[in-house]
Amino acid sequence: MENVRLEISAPLARVTLDRPAKLNALNAQTIQELSQAFAQLREDDAVRAVILTGAGDKAFAAGADIGELARLEPIAGRDYGLRGQALFRAIELFPKPVIAAINGYALGGGLELALACTFRLASEAARLGQPEVKLGIIPGYGGSQRLPRLIGPGRALEMLLTGEPLTAAEALACGLVNHVFPAVELLPKAEEIARKIAANAPLAIRLCLEAVRRGMETNTEEALTLEASLFALLCTSEDMKEGTRAFLEKRAPRFQGH
């Protein structure tokens, strides 16, 4: 892969957008390589959490590649959007947590990529926005849908209609990011949080993700039934037996993911 760097140090993996000269803009090749990286990580049972970030100190991803966008005709534009949406939906539904470490600009498709992640951390220098209306278009990778679900329609529409970015502090205040750190601390803090997650039972993490994701897309009664079913399923797991036994024996659990 030329535009994406994949580093695995189990139980963690780091996926880095690696086009710093282009502010890690998301061209078609980068989308394809991201798909390849996440397909590989899905099958790697040793990986329990993923950190997604950008190379350099200026950008997480400064949006789609404008040179490619400018050449799109309607049919090609629809296909372009659907390819990106398919990748971002796969990240949104990924069976392991994906933490976005936003180290600079996250604009347009870059913010949409971060929105597809499990949650987001930002450096103090981060700027997050959906400036598509300034180019005569709207978000095409899910930003018009995920952003209002995350921060509410009023705040989201202000961002979408003005095209103006938020500072890291503003993003923290409205719940767009979970934490803001000095730039030098961003990746160490992301790894610290990822290791805390990876230390827990893998099946429980996976089904907790499923409970929240599926539950958010249905009504409360159906969501509670789903939760009860997933809880019951975990009661058959070896990890549940190990976790409860370790608690009673006052020792650290040794989870195996089954």
Side-chain angles (χ1 to χ4, degrees):
M1 294 187 289
E2 296 180 10
N3 296 344
V4 172
R5 190 166 69 248
L6 175 59
E7 301 163 279
I8 298 175
S9 181
L12 306 185
R14 185 186 298 179
V15 178
T16 304
L17 300 168
D18 197 11
R19 299 181 75 206
K22 296 290 187 180
L23 298 180
N24 303 318
L26 300 171
N27 64 355
Q29 181 177 342
T30 304
I31 294 291
Q32 189 256 329
E33 290 180 7
L34 276 172
S35 299
Q36 179 182 336
F38 277 95
Q40 178 179 335
L41 292 173
R42 174 182 286 272
E43 301 304 318
D44 191 338
D45 291 337
V47 172
R48 296 187 179 182
V50 180
I51 296 168
L52 176 61
T53 193
D57 58 3
K58 293 183 178 179
F60 172 75
D65 190 304
I66 305 301
E68 286 189 349
L69 281 179
R71 297 192 297 269
L72 290 177
E73 298 294 335
I75 299 301
R78 187 172 189 274
D79 291 342
Y80 184 93
L82 290 175
R83 280 196 299 273
Q85 286 183 0
L87 167 63
F88 290 12
R89 184 62 170 164
I91 293 173
E92 184 175 39
L93 299 178
F94 202 65
K96 308 164 190 183
V98 181
I99 301 170
I102 303 170
N103 53 308
Y105 293 112
L107 303 175
L111 179 55
E112 289 172 296
L113 177 58
L115 287 170
C117 294
T118 311
F119 56 86
R120 289 143 296 281
L121 313 175
S123 76
E124 292 172 336
R127 296 292 182 270
L128 303 90
Q130 299 282 179
E132 285 87 350
V133 292
K134 295 177 181 288
L135 300 175
I137 54 176
I138 66 170
Y141 289 162
S144 67
Q145 304 307 307
R146 292 189 180 97
L147 189 61
R149 285 169 168 79
L150 182 63
I151 66 173
R155 194 71 178 93
L157 280 167
E158 182 179 350
M159 289 181 65
L160 292 163
L161 299 180
T162 66
E164 293 298 311
L166 301 183
T167 64
E170 290 169 334
L172 178 65
C174 71
L176 182 49
V177 301
N178 289 34
H179 302 282
V180 174
F181 301 110
V184 295
E185 296 181 16
L186 177 62
L187 286 175
K189 289 293 188 181
E191 184 171 319
E192 178 183 329
I193 294 170
R195 289 194 182 279
K196 288 180 180 179
I197 293 171
N200 294 322
L203 283 177
I205 293 294
R206 180 170 187 162
L207 295 192
C208 190
L209 288 169
E210 182 176 347
V212 172
R213 290 163 176 165
R214 290 176 58 189
M216 290 289 289
E217 296 177 354
T218 187
N219 62 60
T220 302
E221 290 303 317
E222 291 178 359
L224 289 171
T225 299
L226 170 66
E227 181 187 77
S229 298
L230 296 176
F231 179 89
L233 185 60
L234 286 169
C235 288
T236 69
S237 71
E238 292 300 318
D239 276 357
M240 183 267 196
K241 296 180 178 66
E242 166 62 13
T244 53
R245 186 165 53 242
F247 179 86
L248 295 172
E249 295 174 359
K250 296 180 173 57
R251 60 173 175 82
R254 295 181 290 274
F255 294 121
Q256 301 300 315
H258 51 73

mmCIF file of all heavy atoms in Angstrom, residues 94-115:
data_model
loop_
_atom_site.group_PDB
_atom_site.id
_atom_site.type_symbol
_atom_site.label_atom_id
_atom_site.label_comp_id
_atom_site.label_asym_id
_atom_site.label_seq_id
_atom_site.Cartn_x
_atom_site.Cartn_y
_atom_site.Cartn_z
ATOM 1 N N PHE A 94 -17.493 -2.144 12.255
ATOM 2 C CA PHE A 94 -16.335 -2.999 12.513
ATOM 3 C C PHE A 94 -16.492 -3.686 13.859
ATOM 4 O O PHE A 94 -16.929 -3.061 14.835
ATOM 5 C CB PHE A 94 -15.067 -2.140 12.494
ATOM 6 C CG PHE A 94 -13.811 -2.900 12.217
ATOM 7 C CD1 PHE A 94 -13.609 -3.511 10.990
ATOM 8 C CD2 PHE A 94 -12.822 -3.002 13.181
ATOM 9 C CE1 PHE A 94 -12.437 -4.215 10.730
ATOM 10 C CE2 PHE A 94 -11.654 -3.696 12.933
ATOM 11 C CZ PHE A 94 -11.455 -4.313 11.705
ATOM 12 N N PRO A 95 -16.159 -4.978 13.961
ATOM 13 C CA PRO A 95 -16.411 -5.716 15.198
ATOM 14 C C PRO A 95 -15.434 -5.413 16.330
ATOM 15 O O PRO A 95 -15.559 -5.979 17.415
ATOM 16 C CB PRO A 95 -16.280 -7.180 14.754
ATOM 17 C CG PRO A 95 -15.378 -7.140 13.575
ATOM 18 C CD PRO A 95 -15.699 -5.856 12.871
ATOM 19 N N LYS A 96 -14.489 -4.516 16.084
ATOM 20 C CA LYS A 96 -13.533 -4.096 17.110
ATOM 21 C C LYS A 96 -13.561 -2.565 17.164
ATOM 22 O O LYS A 96 -13.830 -1.919 16.154
ATOM 23 C CB LYS A 96 -12.120 -4.583 16.757
ATOM 24 C CG LYS A 96 -12.053 -6.077 16.465
ATOM 25 C CD LYS A 96 -10.770 -6.471 15.760
ATOM 26 C CE LYS A 96 -10.846 -7.911 15.279
ATOM 27 N NZ LYS A 96 -9.608 -8.384 14.638
ATOM 28 N N PRO A 97 -13.281 -1.976 18.315
ATOM 29 C CA PRO A 97 -13.306 -0.511 18.399
ATOM 30 C C PRO A 97 -12.268 0.125 17.487
ATOM 31 O O PRO A 97 -11.130 -0.343 17.384
ATOM 32 C CB PRO A 97 -12.979 -0.235 19.868
ATOM 33 C CG PRO A 97 -13.291 -1.504 20.588
ATOM 34 C CD PRO A 97 -13.013 -2.606 19.621
ATOM 35 N N VAL A 98 -12.673 1.193 16.805
ATOM 36 C CA VAL A 98 -11.769 1.981 15.967
ATOM 37 C C VAL A 98 -11.761 3.402 16.531
ATOM 38 O O VAL A 98 -12.787 4.084 16.529
ATOM 39 C CB VAL A 98 -12.228 1.997 14.491
ATOM 40 C CG1 VAL A 98 -11.245 2.817 13.649
ATOM 41 C CG2 VAL A 98 -12.361 0.582 13.948
ATOM 42 N N ILE A 99 -10.609 3.820 17.025
ATOM 43 C CA ILE A 99 -10.467 5.124 17.664
ATOM 44 C C ILE A 99 -9.807 6.090 16.683
ATOM 45 O O ILE A 99 -8.695 5.845 16.217
ATOM 46 C CB ILE A 99 -9.613 5.019 18.943
ATOM 47 C CG1 ILE A 99 -10.247 4.034 19.933
ATOM 48 C CG2 ILE A 99 -9.428 6.393 19.584
ATOM 49 C CD1 ILE A 99 -9.351 3.686 21.112
ATOM 50 N N ALA A 100 -10.490 7.177 16.358
ATOM 51 C CA ALA A 100 -9.903 8.197 15.495
ATOM 52 C C ALA A 100 -9.044 9.127 16.340
ATOM 53 O O ALA A 100 -9.532 9.726 17.304
ATOM 54 C CB ALA A 100 -10.995 8.989 14.783
ATOM 55 N N ALA A 101 -7.760 9.242 15.993
ATOM 56 C CA ALA A 101 -6.849 10.178 16.652
ATOM 57 C C ALA A 101 -6.631 11.331 15.673
ATOM 58 O O ALA A 101 -5.820 11.233 14.747
ATOM 59 C CB ALA A 101 -5.536 9.496 17.005
ATOM 60 N N ILE A 102 -7.365 12.411 15.865
ATOM 61 C CA ILE A 102 -7.425 13.513 14.905
ATOM 62 C C ILE A 102 -6.307 14.503 15.217
ATOM 63 O O ILE A 102 -6.399 15.272 16.181
ATOM 64 C CB ILE A 102 -8.807 14.183 14.949
ATOM 65 C CG1 ILE A 102 -9.904 13.144 14.670
ATOM 66 C CG2 ILE A 102 -8.894 15.330 13.957
ATOM 67 C CD1 ILE A 102 -11.307 13.640 14.931
ATOM 68 N N ASN A 103 -5.270 14.479 14.398
ATOM 69 C CA ASN A 103 -4.044 15.216 14.687
ATOM 70 C C ASN A 103 -3.923 16.537 13.938
ATOM 71 O O ASN A 103 -2.853 17.140 13.919
ATOM 72 C CB ASN A 103 -2.826 14.334 14.343
ATOM 73 C CG ASN A 103 -2.899 13.786 12.931
ATOM 74 O OD1 ASN A 103 -3.903 13.194 12.544
ATOM 75 N ND2 ASN A 103 -1.844 13.959 12.153
ATOM 76 N N GLY A 104 -4.997 16.999 13.336
ATOM 77 C CA GLY A 104 -4.963 18.249 12.585
ATOM 78 C C GLY A 104 -6.293 18.461 11.901
ATOM 79 O O GLY A 104 -7.354 18.266 12.504
ATOM 80 N N TYR A 105 -6.261 18.824 10.621
ATOM 81 C CA TYR A 105 -7.494 19.050 9.887
ATOM 82 C C TYR A 105 -8.253 17.743 9.669
ATOM 83 O O TYR A 105 -7.698 16.743 9.226
ATOM 84 C CB TYR A 105 -7.203 19.670 8.523
ATOM 85 C CG TYR A 105 -6.654 21.071 8.584
ATOM 86 C CD1 TYR A 105 -5.349 21.342 8.193
ATOM 87 C CD2 TYR A 105 -7.448 22.130 9.019
ATOM 88 C CE1 TYR A 105 -4.841 22.634 8.253
ATOM 89 C CE2 TYR A 105 -6.951 23.420 9.087
ATOM 90 C CZ TYR A 105 -5.638 23.662 8.695
ATOM 91 O OH TYR A 105 -5.149 24.939 8.755
ATOM 92 N N ALA A 106 -9.541 17.761 9.986
ATOM 93 C CA ALA A 106 -10.463 16.683 9.622
ATOM 94 C C ALA A 106 -11.647 17.374 8.950
ATOM 95 O O ALA A 106 -12.589 17.812 9.617
ATOM 96 C CB ALA A 106 -10.909 15.886 10.844
ATOM 97 N N LEU A 107 -11.550 17.502 7.646
ATOM 98 C CA LEU A 107 -12.516 18.290 6.887
ATOM 99 C C LEU A 107 -13.180 17.429 5.830
ATOM 100 O O LEU A 107 -12.549 16.535 5.258
ATOM 101 C CB LEU A 107 -11.823 19.482 6.219
ATOM 102 C CG LEU A 107 -11.063 20.431 7.146
ATOM 103 C CD1 LEU A 107 -10.321 21.487 6.338
ATOM 104 C CD2 LEU A 107 -12.004 21.093 8.149
ATOM 105 N N GLY A 108 -14.446 17.709 5.551
ATOM 106 C CA GLY A 108 -15.156 16.986 4.497
ATOM 107 C C GLY A 108 -15.096 15.487 4.723
ATOM 108 O O GLY A 108 -15.491 14.981 5.775
ATOM 109 N N GLY A 109 -14.578 14.771 3.713
ATOM 110 C CA GLY A 109 -14.462 13.321 3.840
ATOM 111 C C GLY A 109 -13.606 12.893 5.008
ATOM 112 O O GLY A 109 -13.794 11.807 5.564
ATOM 113 N N GLY A 110 -12.663 13.729 5.432
ATOM 114 C CA GLY A 110 -11.849 13.403 6.600
ATOM 115 C C GLY A 110 -12.663 13.362 7.878
ATOM 116 O O GLY A 110 -12.503 12.472 8.709
ATOM 117 N N LEU A 111 -13.562 14.351 8.046
ATOM 118 C CA LEU A 111 -14.440 14.314 9.209
ATOM 119 C C LEU A 111 -15.428 13.160 9.092
ATOM 120 O O LEU A 111 -15.730 12.485 10.085
ATOM 121 C CB LEU A 111 -15.196 15.634 9.365
ATOM 122 C CG LEU A 111 -16.166 15.695 10.552
ATOM 123 C CD1 LEU A 111 -15.478 15.355 11.868
ATOM 124 C CD2 LEU A 111 -16.840 17.058 10.646
ATOM 125 N N GLU A 112 -15.909 12.899 7.885
ATOM 126 C CA GLU A 112 -16.834 11.779 7.695
ATOM 127 C C GLU A 112 -16.168 10.453 8.071
ATOM 128 O O GLU A 112 -16.803 9.565 8.644
ATOM 129 C CB GLU A 112 -17.323 11.752 6.251
ATOM 130 C CG GLU A 112 -18.269 12.908 5.939
ATOM 131 C CD GLU A 112 -18.610 13.009 4.470
ATOM 132 O OE1 GLU A 112 -17.692 13.271 3.656
ATOM 133 O OE2 GLU A 112 -19.786 12.820 4.127
ATOM 134 N N LEU A 113 -14.881 10.323 7.763
ATOM 135 C CA LEU A 113 -14.146 9.126 8.173
ATOM 136 C C LEU A 113 -14.074 9.037 9.689
ATOM 137 O O LEU A 113 -14.307 7.972 10.272
ATOM 138 C CB LEU A 113 -12.740 9.159 7.568
ATOM 139 C CG LEU A 113 -11.786 8.026 7.950
ATOM 140 C CD1 LEU A 113 -12.354 6.668 7.590
ATOM 141 C CD2 LEU A 113 -10.426 8.240 7.290
ATOM 142 N N ALA A 114 -13.766 10.141 10.341
ATOM 143 C CA ALA A 114 -13.717 10.153 11.804
ATOM 144 C C ALA A 114 -15.080 9.847 12.416
ATOM 145 O O ALA A 114 -15.179 9.162 13.442
ATOM 146 C CB ALA A 114 -13.200 11.505 12.300
ATOM 147 N N LEU A 115 -16.146 10.347 11.785
ATOM 148 C CA LEU A 115 -17.496 10.090 12.297
ATOM 149 C C LEU A 115 -17.852 8.611 12.246
ATOM 150 O O LEU A 115 -18.668 8.136 13.047
ATOM 151 C CB LEU A 115 -18.520 10.889 11.480
ATOM 152 C CG LEU A 115 -18.561 12.396 11.702
ATOM 153 C CD1 LEU A 115 -19.436 13.061 10.649
ATOM 154 C CD2 LEU A 115 -19.048 12.728 13.098
#
